[in-house]
Amino acid sequence: MLGGGQLGRFFVMSAQKLGYKVLVLDPDPNSPAGQIADNHLCASYDDEQALRQIIDSCDYVSTEFENIPAQTLQFLEKDLTVRPSSKAVSIVQNRILEKSFLKENDFPVGDFIIISNLDDLQKVELSIFPAILKIAQFGYDGKGQIHVNNKEELEKAFTKFKNAPCVLEKKINLDTEVSVVLARSNNDEKVFYPLVENQHINGILDTSIIPAEVNQEIYDETLKIADRLSSALDYIGVMAVEFFVCQNHVYVNEIAPRPHNSGHFSIDACDYSQFDLQVRALTGMKLKQPKLIHNSRMINLLGDVWFRGDSQINPAFNNIKDESIKLHLYGKKEPRRGRKMGHYTVLGDDPEKIKQLAFKTKEMLLS
Ligand code: ADP
Ligand code: MG
């Protein structure tokens, strides 16, 4: 597993359930996945000696880290089964290539233009404002994005990104956001989770509602688009497609070449989690169509929950008594504002009751 974050940690658990041994590559000695892996290789993602050790000791390679250098995947692909492929990841991890791929293949995307250099700034039409300048690579959780309302702000923002290649996206008036998490095998077998509805705060996922409370057309269309997208990328493994919904139109926002935060409900609400499917797709096992056993709502726990003014406390997790609330903490040592520390999923039948319980739990943890 390339990457030792929480996504990698859940992957390790799923793989170990099937008796696999997992090596995690991550330069952080305390990485969440490294802590529970059978072997933690504490080295950088382009360390050739580490990559050779992986070739010598592993059969299958997957990633949880979107910004894994594509060359690392290419290097490993020569000897091992690597899923998803370097080709798919290299498109998806770069917003310029990703957006261009979507447009060329007739997927619906919002208005955007590519800003590779200072000259491109001159070509920007005023109709694109208000807009968001997004750095082409290495952004996550709303980082590497600046909201701009005019050319002057755009120029400042581009300078702030040190003139690194970017895309400039028109700001869409969102009715809501949804995501599709799916798995595709090397035999073109595909399985889908129910559509997820997502609420973000400051560009970071806060809440996911399953199934999404959107009309049937939106529901069907997004699943159809994600289906076609997985084939167009010849994608093998678990992937997620994020969508914007605006006035009954859908636009692809971005693609994640890995399990997704919005798919965490599947750990508790489904018979097969997105990480179980990642293991199965990776190792060529038959995929299982996951069944949603409970309606659910997933709430992220950011490091902010640990802070009261300037002081730091441990939230009262012991006060979570209700059996229908499933708590997951990722083993990260240091809470930081905006850092994903854990999540909880509330299960049930009645979406309104689930919502109330989710709110009350958050209030209790913040009190
Ligand atoms: P990240 O890689 O951080 O997830 P995204 O491009 O998905 O980056 O942006 C994070 C969030 O910011 C989105 O889920 C959405 O809520 C908001 N956002 C991003 N782009 C736009 C846009 N063009 N119009 C409106 N909201 C946007
Ligand atoms: Mg996103």
Side-chain angles (χ1 to χ4, degrees):
M1 171 52 54
L2 306 174
Q6 61 270 19
L7 300 175
R9 183 177 170 102
F10 286 121
F11 171 88
V12 171
M13 292 175 188
S14 284
Q16 289 176 339
K17 264 196 311 201
L18 289 175
Y20 290 112
K21 291 208 184 330
V22 187
L23 177 151
V24 164
L25 175 67
D26 190 303
D28 174 2
N30 297 316
S31 75
Q35 291 170 27
I36 65 163
D38 297 279
N39 188 356
H40 175 198
L41 209 49
C42 195
S44 67
Y45 297 115
D46 55 3
D47 182 320
E48 196 168 324
Q49 208 188 333
L51 299 183
R52 290 200 187 283
Q53 196 175 328
I54 291 175
I55 290 174
D56 288 343
S57 59
C58 299
D59 294 312
Y60 303 102
V61 178
S62 193
T63 174
E64 61 112 46
F65 176 51
E66 189 152 340
N67 293 315
I68 192 80
Q71 296 92 312
T72 292
L73 297 176
Q74 276 159 10
F75 185 82
L76 297 171
E77 259 163 6
K78 285 187 251 151
D79 293 287
L80 306 175
T81 301
V82 178
R83 292 171 177 161
S85 67
S86 61
K87 193 162 169 240
V89 174
S90 61
I91 296 171
V92 166
Q93 72 183 181
N94 180 311
R95 285 189 198 276
I96 295 175
L97 300 180
E98 180 181 47
K99 281 261 171 354
S100 307
F101 176 88
L102 290 168
K103 208 166 169 183
E104 278 157 23
N105 289 280
D106 286 327
F107 290 99
V109 283
D111 288 344
F112 74 94
I113 73 159
I114 294 168
I115 312 267
S116 304
N117 51 48
L118 288 168
D119 285 345
D120 291 338
L121 289 177
Q122 305 316 317
K123 297 179 201 145
V124 172
E125 287 177 23
L126 295 179
S127 59
I128 199 145
F129 296 111
I132 307 176
L133 186 69
K134 301 183 180 179
I135 203 156
Q137 260 187 299
F138 308 120
Y140 70 99
D141 287 347
K143 293 189 182 73
Q145 302 193 7
I146 300 179
H147 291 234
V148 290
N149 292 305
N150 50 51
K151 279 206 170 182
E152 207 187 334
E153 289 179 11
L154 172 60
E155 279 171 23
K156 266 197 200 146
F158 192 55
T159 309
K160 200 161 175 205
F161 287 152
K162 304 200 169 73
N163 297 11
C166 287
V167 296
L168 181 67
E169 284 183 32
K170 189 174 177 61
K171 211 186 266 184
I172 291 177
N173 223 338
L174 301 177
D175 292 329
T176 190
E177 294 183 69
V178 295
S179 56
V180 175
V181 181
L182 67 89
R184 180 171 179 266
S185 74
N186 53 327
N187 303 317
D188 197 25
E189 184 189 4
K190 291 177 193 170
V191 294
F192 299 83
Y193 286 99
L195 188 66
V196 181
E197 188 169 349
N198 299 313
Q199 297 170 351
H200 292 79
I201 298 181
N202 299 327
I204 307 181
L205 183 66
D206 177 69
T207 299
S208 293
I209 302 160
I210 304 94
E213 293 164 353
V214 295
N215 68 42
Q216 196 63 44
E217 278 123 71
I218 301 280
Y219 202 107
D220 295 344
E221 196 185 346
T222 47
L223 280 157
K224 219 167 87 190
I225 291 170
D227 182 346
R228 185 162 77 85
L229 198 40
S230 67
S231 296
L233 283 167
D234 197 12
Y235 191 91
I236 305 173
V238 170
M239 67 181 258
V241 188
E242 298 178 10
F243 292 90
F244 296 142
V245 182
C246 168
Q247 294 184 334
N248 240 13
H249 289 285
V250 301
Y251 303 93
V252 176
N253 169 23
E254 58 170 354
I255 304 155
R258 48 169 173 80
H260 194 254
N261 193 171
S262 72
H264 284 355
F265 73 95
S266 63
I267 300 168
D268 299 298
C270 296
D271 51 356
Y272 290 92
S273 79
Q274 58 175 347
F275 305 99
D276 295 336
L277 295 184
Q278 187 183 18
V279 174
R280 300 183 80 92
L282 176 62
T283 59
M285 291 175 82
K286 186 162 172 45
L287 293 183
K288 303 277 186 176
Q289 171 58 49
K291 278 199 234 27
L292 183 70
I293 297 165
H294 306 280
N295 291 331
S296 54
R297 187 176 267 253
M298 189 264 348
I299 314 290
N300 265 341
L301 293 169
L302 301 184
D304 305 59
V305 179
W306 273 250
F307 290 96
R308 302 290 173 277
D310 285 340
S311 50
Q312 198 182 303
I313 59 148
N314 271 332
F317 294 120
N318 281 343
N319 291 343
I320 299 179
K321 301 262 157 51
D322 200 306
E323 294 271 312
S324 60
I325 303 168
K326 307 294 182 189
L327 175 69
H328 297 266
L329 296 168
Y330 307 148
K332 296 185 185 177
K333 281 221 170 78
E334 193 197 335
R336 287 197 296 268
R337 290 187 195 276
R339 186 180 204 197
K340 289 173 179 166
M341 300 294 293
H343 73 269
Y344 61 92
T345 303
V346 182
L347 308 175
D349 297 323
D350 177 1
E352 192 51 38
K353 278 193 191 145
I354 297 174
K355 182 176 172 181
Q356 293 311 327
L357 190 51
F359 277 139
K360 267 196 216 144
T361 305
K362 188 73 178 281
E363 263 175 21
M364 192 262 296
L365 292 175
L366 283 170
S367 67

